[in-house]
Amino acid sequence: MNQASPMEIPANRDPLVRRVFDSVAANYDLMNDIMSLGVHRLWKQAMVTYLLPQAGQTILDVAGGTGDISYRILQQSPDSRIISLDINQAMLTVGRDRAIDSGLDDRIDHLVGTAESLPLNDSSVHAYTIAFGLRNVSQRTKALSEARRVLKPGGKFICLEFNHIESASLDTVYQQWSRMIPQFGEWIAKDRLAYEYLVESIRRFPKQSELASEIEAAGLGRVGWRNYSFGIVALHYGVRL
Ligand code: SAM
């Protein structure tokens, strides 16, 4: 098995991220199941359970991609309205087709846009979710401040993201698994680079406590996090006070 040295990720990662998700859109859901052994479904469900969506709420799902979070929110709260926003049209198209097939398209607006400059009014959404998206954003500080801007007072911010395992021995096993991911990417999605990017972007992402500080610095209150699967993934939360 090839062991590539860490790939370079440019400061403006938008073109790379667009290319990655253009390439993987059609195989994205299958790859998620393979790479996480299906566990991503549990992490996402835990996020929506924590969100506790209510009828009549407008929920912004940033980096909405193929719509997993929107779909789960509407299963739990069919009378919510979702705005699924993503920088990548190909990912949103898969999500929109899924919504049409499931009869949910009248509850979800699909918007092309970036997390750093949301095309929404101040204080316009009841909750902001971002799952496996913040790691891909070029300007995280701007994205977090946009999250605060669009949330109504009392609105929840929730970020689900790959994070860092705290136990050194478990981390060794996880790093070995991570090294195999680009190979799976090459076999299944026919794109090794996309999955090298995934592994490297996780490695560079701030640790749980550092991300919590960034969220607080953006002006959100009652910030905290909970780990899933020993910290492979963490759910960070906060509230617009
Ligand atoms: N949230 C979905 C999920 O959990 O299955 C999709 C996650 S996917 C790993 C990351 C998504 O983030 C991609 O669809 C990508 O296009 C989107 N993305 C990356 N950078 C973005 C940005 N700056 N603004 C909005 N979306 C972005």
Side-chain angles (χ1 to χ4, degrees):
M1 181 142 327
N2 275 346
Q3 275 200 18
S5 52
M7 74 180 295
E8 284 294 314
I9 299 183
N12 176 8
R13 57 178 72 187
D14 291 2
L16 172 65
V17 165
R18 277 210 185 82
R19 179 224 162 287
V20 162
F21 288 101
D22 273 345
S23 157
V24 303
N27 292 301
Y28 175 78
D29 295 314
L30 172 66
M31 276 299 290
N32 273 351
D33 277 332
I34 292 171
M35 288 182 316
S36 72
L37 309 175
V39 181
H40 75 105
R41 293 165 183 260
L42 303 180
W43 297 328
K44 288 172 177 169
Q45 191 51 48
M47 178 189 208
V48 174
T49 302
Y50 182 82
L51 172 66
L52 207 66
Q54 307 290 318
Q57 286 188 332
T58 298
I59 296 164
L60 171 64
D61 184 38
V62 174
T66 59
D68 264 8
I69 301 302
S70 306
Y71 185 77
R72 283 184 162 73
I73 293 172
L74 289 174
Q75 269 188 328
Q76 197 160 314
S77 174
D79 293 324
S80 294
R81 179 177 157 251
I82 316 284
I83 303 168
S84 177
L85 176 138
D86 200 287
I87 202 172
N88 187 291
Q89 180 67 68
M91 292 289 280
L92 280 183
T93 299
V94 175
R96 200 205 48 226
D97 290 350
R98 250 175 110 186
I100 292 169
D101 290 347
S102 318
L104 296 173
D105 50 313
D106 61 329
R107 309 300 309 161
I108 310 176
D109 291 325
H110 293 91
L111 274 189
V112 177
T114 75
E116 295 99 324
S117 178
L118 296 172
L120 297 174
N121 291 334
D122 295 0
S123 309
S124 56
V125 301
H126 295 90
Y128 174 110
T129 55
I130 181 164
F132 305 109
L134 195 58
R135 176 175 40 83
N136 298 300
V137 163
S138 296
Q139 301 175 74
R140 204 166 45 242
T141 307
K142 230 171 160 181
L144 292 172
S145 109
E146 278 290 89
R148 182 190 175 279
R149 180 182 69 77
V150 301
L151 274 169
K152 292 176 187 286
K156 281 185 187 168
F157 166 90
I158 308 182
C159 168
L160 186 71
E161 190 51 272
F162 289 112
N163 233 288
H164 298 276
I165 298 185
E166 276 148 17
S167 145
S169 50
L170 280 178
D171 193 46
T172 306
V173 177
Y174 179 60
Q175 293 308 327
Q176 279 166 2
W177 172 243
S178 297
R179 276 195 278 277
M180 292 161 64
I181 286 175
Q183 187 64 62
F184 285 123
E186 193 172 323
W187 284 332
I188 296 153
K190 312 281 178 249
D191 191 336
R192 185 180 185 94
L193 179 133
Y195 289 89
E196 282 174 1
Y197 165 74
L198 170 75
V199 172
E200 183 57 12
S201 63
I202 295 171
R203 199 180 67 76
R204 288 176 181 221
F205 196 64
K207 293 197 166 49
Q208 283 85 329
S209 58
E210 295 162 354
L211 181 59
S213 301
E214 290 185 19
I215 297 168
E216 266 169 356
L220 290 156
R222 301 209 291 271
V223 173
W225 74 89
R226 48 174 74 165
N227 284 337
Y228 297 124
S229 307
F230 311 102
I232 291 176
V233 161
L235 182 144
H236 280 78
Y237 49 83
V239 173
R240 163 127 195 223
L241 298 174

